Amino acid sequence: MKPSLSFLILSLSLLAITVFAIIGNMPYWAWYIPVGFAIFATLIIFRGVYLPQNAVSRGMELIQSQDYNNRLVKVGEPNADRIVVLFNSLIDKLRAERLLNREQESLLKLLIDASPMGVVMLDFSGNISLVNSSFLKMSGYRGSDDLKGKNIRDVTYDLIPDMLKVPLGKSEVIRKGNFRIYRCYHLNFVQEGFKREFYLLESLTDEIMKAEKTAYEKVIRTISHEVNNSMGGVRSVLEIVEDEIDSEDIKKVIESCDNRCEQMCSFIRDYADVVKLPPPVMRKFDLRDEIVKMTPFLTQVIKEDISLEFHDPGHRVYIEGDSAQLQQVLLNIVKNAAESIVSHGKIEIEVKTLKEGTALIISNNGTPISTEESKQLFTPFFTTKPGGKGIGLTFVREVLNQHNADYSLITDSSGITRFSILFPLL
């Protein structure tokens, strides 16, 4: 009941009393009794009906507008004040529950964003509603706004087609490129009676590489120790026998055996050198300047019918790394490129400054890398060369991993093979 309505009741009561007083010829002083009674009745109605109803109306307005910061004020009427206390208590509980939900939601978002696994959550229509920092880093997108609202099938990321093949409730290992290995989980939860799907993407590359390195380091150290000790003893015996024998034919046999022992020790030493690779001495240097200095030497390393061209950017390009180790990396890559060219080929070196970092690209038009070979590239000591040891790419892998660089070796549709290296931003 609004104040205007109370005023209307009071006015009608007074009007009715006046009419009855005139009709009944009541004396003037007798009017005060019904008028006072009308005013008293109106006050009773105002306090007993209007104030509680107003408290209920105001409380409902606060709840409906979700305004949990304001409170109702007591008005001095017992029934209305009880309603005020009840609504204030209800509003306090709603406010506390909302704060708790917000804290839990904020904590959940922080946990999801801090997760090392990539998280992609879909809405009921299959559009992306949430992604975390790990997935953005994996996919190369700058921010979540670039992906939110997009259908997952429309996202430009080479792992998406493989992720979509994972059955709901299952997980599968995905291999991409030369060395990228992931485990993808396709799961769901129920919200408001509907299933909401999400994907978890876990990078296994670092763990697998560490396990491989630990395994082959142990094997190589063991073999190196045994072979060097054995060959050392054999060579000592051969020297003693050679001094005691006069036959030239036998001496030639002994010399051949000694030479073979030396070759065996050198063979094992090459593998041991990869295992003993020291940590890089990181410093800031001009990559463009290092390549310019190395170009004449690289030209002498390759065959005469192969041209080597460096696309000079014309300005300094700084990266952080061990220049000596990276020089050896460049040399190994150029030698491998030259060996893939049968005749009259071309090797090009290019440096680019990108928003993600500094790119070094070495391309050649030699024999393309087959699909089967591409699956095994950068596997420790894998080689396609007859009599090769597979040390070159293994060394390159170890150095680039220690420099936190991304790298790939692929042959594109035009037949050009590119070794691409992306160094982190300074």
Side-chain angles (χ1 to χ4, degrees), residues 185-205:
Y185 300 83
H186 184 190
L187 306 172
N188 71 284
F189 60 90
V190 178
Q191 183 184 25
E192 298 177 1
F194 294 93
K195 289 184 177 180
R196 289 193 61 180
E197 299 180 18
F198 65 96
Y199 292 88
L200 300 178
L201 197 61
E202 179 184 13
S203 176
L204 303 179
T205 306

mmCIF file of all heavy atoms in Angstrom, residues 185-205:
data_model
loop_
_atom_site.group_PDB
_atom_site.id
_atom_site.type_symbol
_atom_site.label_atom_id
_atom_site.label_comp_id
_atom_site.label_asym_id
_atom_site.label_seq_id
_atom_site.Cartn_x
_atom_site.Cartn_y
_atom_site.Cartn_z
ATOM 1 N N TYR A 185 43.549 -35.551 -24.660
ATOM 2 C CA TYR A 185 42.403 -36.122 -23.964
ATOM 3 C C TYR A 185 41.137 -35.422 -24.457
ATOM 4 O O TYR A 185 41.087 -34.195 -24.514
ATOM 5 C CB TYR A 185 42.515 -35.913 -22.448
ATOM 6 C CG TYR A 185 43.727 -36.541 -21.810
ATOM 7 C CD1 TYR A 185 44.963 -35.894 -21.825
ATOM 8 C CD2 TYR A 185 43.637 -37.774 -21.174
ATOM 9 C CE1 TYR A 185 46.076 -36.455 -21.222
ATOM 10 C CE2 TYR A 185 44.752 -38.348 -20.569
ATOM 11 C CZ TYR A 185 45.964 -37.687 -20.603
ATOM 12 O OH TYR A 185 47.068 -38.241 -20.006
ATOM 13 N N HIS A 186 40.111 -36.220 -24.790
ATOM 14 C CA HIS A 186 38.808 -35.679 -25.199
ATOM 15 C C HIS A 186 37.788 -36.104 -24.150
ATOM 16 O O HIS A 186 37.390 -37.268 -24.089
ATOM 17 C CB HIS A 186 38.436 -36.207 -26.585
ATOM 18 C CG HIS A 186 37.162 -35.628 -27.120
ATOM 19 N ND1 HIS A 186 36.534 -36.111 -28.250
ATOM 20 C CD2 HIS A 186 36.382 -34.594 -26.686
ATOM 21 C CE1 HIS A 186 35.438 -35.412 -28.473
ATOM 22 N NE2 HIS A 186 35.322 -34.486 -27.534
ATOM 23 N N LEU A 187 37.369 -35.164 -23.281
ATOM 24 C CA LEU A 187 36.520 -35.487 -22.141
ATOM 25 C C LEU A 187 35.290 -34.588 -22.117
ATOM 26 O O LEU A 187 35.146 -33.714 -22.985
ATOM 27 C CB LEU A 187 37.316 -35.323 -20.837
ATOM 28 C CG LEU A 187 38.646 -36.091 -20.763
ATOM 29 C CD1 LEU A 187 39.423 -35.696 -19.528
ATOM 30 C CD2 LEU A 187 38.415 -37.589 -20.802
ATOM 31 N N ASN A 188 34.405 -34.808 -21.152
ATOM 32 C CA ASN A 188 33.207 -33.980 -21.050
ATOM 33 C C ASN A 188 32.703 -33.956 -19.602
ATOM 34 O O ASN A 188 33.076 -34.801 -18.780
ATOM 35 C CB ASN A 188 32.099 -34.483 -21.967
ATOM 36 C CG ASN A 188 31.498 -35.782 -21.483
ATOM 37 O OD1 ASN A 188 32.095 -36.851 -21.632
ATOM 38 N ND2 ASN A 188 30.328 -35.716 -20.886
ATOM 39 N N PHE A 189 31.858 -32.982 -19.288
ATOM 40 C CA PHE A 189 31.152 -32.929 -18.015
ATOM 41 C C PHE A 189 29.728 -32.455 -18.302
ATOM 42 O O PHE A 189 29.439 -31.945 -19.386
ATOM 43 C CB PHE A 189 31.855 -31.997 -17.016
ATOM 44 C CG PHE A 189 31.960 -30.567 -17.487
ATOM 45 C CD1 PHE A 189 30.968 -29.643 -17.194
ATOM 46 C CD2 PHE A 189 33.064 -30.136 -18.214
ATOM 47 C CE1 PHE A 189 31.062 -28.330 -17.617
ATOM 48 C CE2 PHE A 189 33.165 -28.831 -18.654
ATOM 49 C CZ PHE A 189 32.159 -27.915 -18.352
ATOM 50 N N VAL A 190 28.822 -32.649 -17.344
ATOM 51 C CA VAL A 190 27.418 -32.309 -17.530
ATOM 52 C C VAL A 190 27.137 -30.979 -16.842
ATOM 53 O O VAL A 190 27.436 -30.795 -15.662
ATOM 54 C CB VAL A 190 26.498 -33.407 -16.979
ATOM 55 C CG1 VAL A 190 25.036 -33.005 -17.131
ATOM 56 C CG2 VAL A 190 26.763 -34.725 -17.690
ATOM 57 N N GLN A 191 26.548 -30.047 -17.584
ATOM 58 C CA GLN A 191 26.144 -28.755 -17.049
ATOM 59 C C GLN A 191 24.722 -28.460 -17.520
ATOM 60 O O GLN A 191 24.450 -28.473 -18.723
ATOM 61 C CB GLN A 191 27.094 -27.641 -17.496
ATOM 62 C CG GLN A 191 26.745 -26.273 -16.907
ATOM 63 C CD GLN A 191 27.649 -25.170 -17.441
ATOM 64 O OE1 GLN A 191 28.211 -25.274 -18.525
ATOM 65 N NE2 GLN A 191 27.788 -24.103 -16.675
ATOM 66 N N GLU A 192 23.825 -28.199 -16.561
ATOM 67 C CA GLU A 192 22.434 -27.890 -16.861
ATOM 68 C C GLU A 192 21.791 -28.983 -17.716
ATOM 69 O O GLU A 192 20.983 -28.706 -18.607
ATOM 70 C CB GLU A 192 22.324 -26.535 -17.562
ATOM 71 C CG GLU A 192 22.833 -25.374 -16.714
ATOM 72 C CD GLU A 192 22.774 -24.056 -17.457
ATOM 73 O OE1 GLU A 192 22.319 -24.056 -18.623
ATOM 74 O OE2 GLU A 192 23.190 -23.039 -16.882
ATOM 75 N N GLY A 193 22.197 -30.217 -17.463
ATOM 76 C CA GLY A 193 21.600 -31.351 -18.158
ATOM 77 C C GLY A 193 22.190 -31.631 -19.525
ATOM 78 O O GLY A 193 21.738 -32.552 -20.209
ATOM 79 N N PHE A 194 23.195 -30.855 -19.938
ATOM 80 C CA PHE A 194 23.811 -31.053 -21.255
ATOM 81 C C PHE A 194 25.300 -31.364 -21.083
ATOM 82 O O PHE A 194 25.947 -30.901 -20.139
ATOM 83 C CB PHE A 194 23.648 -29.805 -22.125
ATOM 84 C CG PHE A 194 22.213 -29.501 -22.493
ATOM 85 C CD1 PHE A 194 21.453 -28.636 -21.714
ATOM 86 C CD2 PHE A 194 21.627 -30.083 -23.600
ATOM 87 C CE1 PHE A 194 20.139 -28.347 -22.036
ATOM 88 C CE2 PHE A 194 20.317 -29.809 -23.940
ATOM 89 C CZ PHE A 194 19.563 -28.939 -23.154
ATOM 90 N N LYS A 195 25.836 -32.147 -22.020
ATOM 91 C CA LYS A 195 27.261 -32.466 -22.000
ATOM 92 C C LYS A 195 28.070 -31.340 -22.629
ATOM 93 O O LYS A 195 27.741 -30.870 -23.719
ATOM 94 C CB LYS A 195 27.521 -33.769 -22.770
ATOM 95 C CG LYS A 195 27.024 -35.013 -22.080
ATOM 96 C CD LYS A 195 27.412 -36.261 -22.860
ATOM 97 C CE LYS A 195 26.963 -37.517 -22.127
ATOM 98 N NZ LYS A 195 27.335 -38.740 -22.884
ATOM 99 N N ARG A 196 29.100 -30.918 -21.915
ATOM 100 C CA ARG A 196 30.042 -29.927 -22.452
ATOM 101 C C ARG A 196 31.388 -30.609 -22.635
ATOM 102 O O ARG A 196 31.957 -31.172 -21.694
ATOM 103 C CB ARG A 196 30.179 -28.727 -21.515
ATOM 104 C CG ARG A 196 28.938 -27.857 -21.492
ATOM 105 C CD ARG A 196 29.220 -26.539 -20.825
ATOM 106 N NE ARG A 196 30.243 -25.777 -21.533
ATOM 107 C CZ ARG A 196 30.669 -24.572 -21.153
ATOM 108 N NH1 ARG A 196 30.151 -24.013 -20.065
ATOM 109 N NH2 ARG A 196 31.583 -23.940 -21.834
ATOM 110 N N GLU A 197 31.889 -30.563 -23.857
ATOM 111 C CA GLU A 197 33.135 -31.251 -24.180
ATOM 112 C C GLU A 197 34.328 -30.317 -23.999
ATOM 113 O O GLU A 197 34.201 -29.105 -24.138
ATOM 114 C CB GLU A 197 33.085 -31.768 -25.616
ATOM 115 C CG GLU A 197 31.974 -32.773 -25.880
ATOM 116 C CD GLU A 197 31.967 -33.260 -27.318
ATOM 117 O OE1 GLU A 197 33.001 -33.096 -28.005
ATOM 118 O OE2 GLU A 197 30.936 -33.793 -27.755
ATOM 119 N N PHE A 198 35.463 -30.918 -23.688
ATOM 120 C CA PHE A 198 36.712 -30.154 -23.619
ATOM 121 C C PHE A 198 37.880 -31.064 -23.985
ATOM 122 O O PHE A 198 37.780 -32.294 -23.919
ATOM 123 C CB PHE A 198 36.900 -29.517 -22.233
ATOM 124 C CG PHE A 198 37.072 -30.509 -21.110
ATOM 125 C CD1 PHE A 198 38.339 -30.871 -20.664
ATOM 126 C CD2 PHE A 198 35.966 -31.077 -20.493
ATOM 127 C CE1 PHE A 198 38.495 -31.781 -19.628
ATOM 128 C CE2 PHE A 198 36.118 -31.983 -19.449
ATOM 129 C CZ PHE A 198 37.385 -32.338 -19.013
ATOM 130 N N TYR A 199 38.979 -30.421 -24.383
ATOM 131 C CA TYR A 199 40.189 -31.132 -24.773
ATOM 132 C C TYR A 199 41.342 -30.716 -23.861
ATOM 133 O O TYR A 199 41.477 -29.535 -23.510
ATOM 134 C CB TYR A 199 40.567 -30.818 -26.221
ATOM 135 C CG TYR A 199 39.615 -31.366 -27.262
ATOM 136 C CD1 TYR A 199 38.505 -30.627 -27.666
ATOM 137 C CD2 TYR A 199 39.817 -32.617 -27.840
ATOM 138 C CE1 TYR A 199 37.624 -31.128 -28.616
ATOM 139 C CE2 TYR A 199 38.940 -33.122 -28.787
ATOM 140 C CZ TYR A 199 37.845 -32.374 -29.181
ATOM 141 O OH TYR A 199 36.979 -32.866 -30.118
ATOM 142 N N LEU A 200 42.162 -31.691 -23.496
ATOM 143 C CA LEU A 200 43.401 -31.442 -22.769
ATOM 144 C C LEU A 200 44.552 -31.885 -23.664
ATOM 145 O O LEU A 200 44.535 -33.001 -24.203
ATOM 146 C CB LEU A 200 43.436 -32.218 -21.451
ATOM 147 C CG LEU A 200 42.323 -31.925 -20.438
ATOM 148 C CD1 LEU A 200 42.492 -32.806 -19.214
ATOM 149 C CD2 LEU A 200 42.345 -30.458 -20.031
ATOM 150 N N LEU A 201 45.535 -31.010 -23.837
ATOM 151 C CA LEU A 201 46.661 -31.294 -24.725
ATOM 152 C C LEU A 201 47.951 -31.226 -23.911
ATOM 153 O O LEU A 201 48.311 -30.175 -23.382
ATOM 154 C CB LEU A 201 46.689 -30.286 -25.873
ATOM 155 C CG LEU A 201 47.526 -30.649 -27.096
ATOM 156 C CD1 LEU A 201 47.014 -31.938 -27.737
ATOM 157 C CD2 LEU A 201 47.493 -29.520 -28.118
ATOM 158 N N GLU A 202 48.612 -32.363 -23.803
ATOM 159 C CA GLU A 202 49.836 -32.454 -23.001
ATOM 160 C C GLU A 202 51.036 -32.698 -23.902
ATOM 161 O O GLU A 202 51.042 -33.636 -24.705
ATOM 162 C CB GLU A 202 49.704 -33.601 -21.995
ATOM 163 C CG GLU A 202 50.924 -33.802 -21.121
ATOM 164 C CD GLU A 202 50.778 -35.013 -20.211
ATOM 165 O OE1 GLU A 202 49.845 -35.818 -20.446
ATOM 166 O OE2 GLU A 202 51.589 -35.144 -19.285
ATOM 167 N N SER A 203 52.045 -31.847 -23.799
ATOM 168 C CA SER A 203 53.255 -32.008 -24.597
ATOM 169 C C SER A 203 54.157 -33.052 -23.948
ATOM 170 O O SER A 203 54.512 -32.949 -22.769
ATOM 171 C CB SER A 203 54.005 -30.674 -24.711
ATOM 172 O OG SER A 203 55.224 -30.859 -25.410
ATOM 173 N N LEU A 204 54.515 -34.075 -24.711
ATOM 174 C CA LEU A 204 55.399 -35.135 -24.230
ATOM 175 C C LEU A 204 56.803 -34.993 -24.786
ATOM 176 O O LEU A 204 57.687 -35.788 -24.453
ATOM 177 C CB LEU A 204 54.840 -36.513 -24.630
ATOM 178 C CG LEU A 204 53.415 -36.840 -24.168
ATOM 179 C CD1 LEU A 204 53.024 -38.222 -24.682
ATOM 180 C CD2 LEU A 204 53.306 -36.776 -22.660
ATOM 181 N N THR A 205 57.025 -33.982 -25.618
ATOM 182 C CA THR A 205 58.291 -33.853 -26.333
ATOM 183 C C THR A 205 59.480 -33.789 -25.384
ATOM 184 O O THR A 205 60.456 -34.543 -25.525
ATOM 185 C CB THR A 205 58.271 -32.602 -27.231
ATOM 186 O OG1 THR A 205 57.134 -32.660 -28.087
ATOM 187 C CG2 THR A 205 59.530 -32.535 -28.068
#
